[in-house]
Amino acid sequence: MLSTRILFLFVLLAVTLYAAPAPSNAPSITIGALARATHLPSTATRSSSVVQPSPVPATRSSSVVQPSPVPATRPPAASMSTEILRLVNQHRRAIGRPPLQPNSFISSVALGHSRDMLSGRSPFGHDGFHDRIDRIRKKLGPLHIAAENVASGPMSAHEVVDGWLHSPGHRRNIEGDFRLTGIGLAFGRNGNIFFTQIFAK
């Protein structure tokens, strides 16, 4: 069975350093965690964690998405991206946050990263994030803050958003002070899907 993986990156493009704390009570199924400061044209913090599902999904961990069986036919990427955005904005409205506005250029950048992860040109994670943000900044103008969530697995829109919301770092990104977003999905022949959502303001 394909494993489900979720990874997040929070980058603060500002003068001061924002340190995202690593979770202190990570579940035993967490196989790796990394927290470090990195340098952009302005100061940034990088924090990431990789999560895999339990071999026996008798109960669901709060930070893990158990994928549904791969359907015979799957929804088009565009409709799945739209549903992810709907679910993210539904959560934001519930906590009093304004909805994120989709941006086609940011979505094209997110799609490129998902395709790179699918093809193996980039490992699963956030390699090249700074370059992606630089491309967005050159196209859209100055950015004050940016973040990225990624995931992989044979998941539905509901499952990937639910997984992100049950992971503190991903949830921070979803609930953050952002205005724009872009979502890109890349589908593998074996049913695996790579998800990338970029947040910007």
Side-chain angles (χ1 to χ4, degrees):
M1 177 181 291
L2 293 171
S3 65
T4 299
R5 298 178 294 177
I6 301 173
L7 199 64
F8 76 87
L9 173 66
F10 182 86
V11 174
L12 183 65
L13 299 176
V15 177
T16 57
L17 178 68
Y18 179 93
S24 59
N25 57 346
S28 59
I29 53 172
T30 298
I31 61 169
L34 173 69
R36 73 180 181 213
T38 188
H39 297 284
L40 285 174
S42 51
T43 310
T45 294
R46 174 170 176 162
S47 177
S48 62
S49 60
V50 180
V51 180
Q52 289 188 342
S54 170
V56 182
T59 60
R60 172 175 291 191
S61 168
S62 63
S63 61
V64 176
V65 177
Q66 298 292 347
S68 297
V70 179
T73 59
R74 57 192 174 198
S79 64
M80 199 170 182
S81 296
T82 300
E83 180 64 5
I84 289 172
L85 179 59
R86 186 190 71 80
L87 292 167
V88 165
N89 279 338
Q90 177 179 283
H91 175 77
R92 286 175 64 89
R93 288 188 185 96
I95 62 169
R97 281 288 193 187
L100 298 170
Q101 300 302 312
N103 180 275
S104 59
F105 183 76
I106 299 177
S107 291
S108 71
V109 174
L111 175 60
H113 183 50
S114 290
R115 286 176 172 170
D116 284 347
M117 290 189 292
L118 174 64
S119 69
R121 284 192 295 268
S122 292
F124 175 73
H126 301 290
D127 281 19
F129 176 76
H130 301 165
D131 293 335
R132 289 191 288 282
I133 296 307
D134 283 344
R135 287 174 57 200
I136 295 169
R137 188 161 42 192
K138 288 176 183 176
K139 178 73 173 180
L140 303 182
L143 297 178
H144 300 291
I145 188 171
E148 181 179 80
N149 284 352
V150 304
S152 76
M155 294 180 284
S156 67
H158 175 79
E159 286 173 321
V160 72
V161 173
D162 184 66
W164 283 339
L165 288 175
H166 283 87
S167 169
H170 300 82
R171 186 180 184 117
R172 263 198 310 275
N173 289 345
I174 287 173
E175 297 178 350
D177 183 21
F178 300 107
R179 185 173 63 87
L180 301 175
T181 192
I183 300 168
L185 280 61
F187 294 84
R189 293 180 181 178
N190 57 1
N192 198 28
I193 308 171
F194 284 86
F195 304 81
T196 303
Q197 182 170 16
I198 297 174
F199 308 83
K201 180 182 179 182

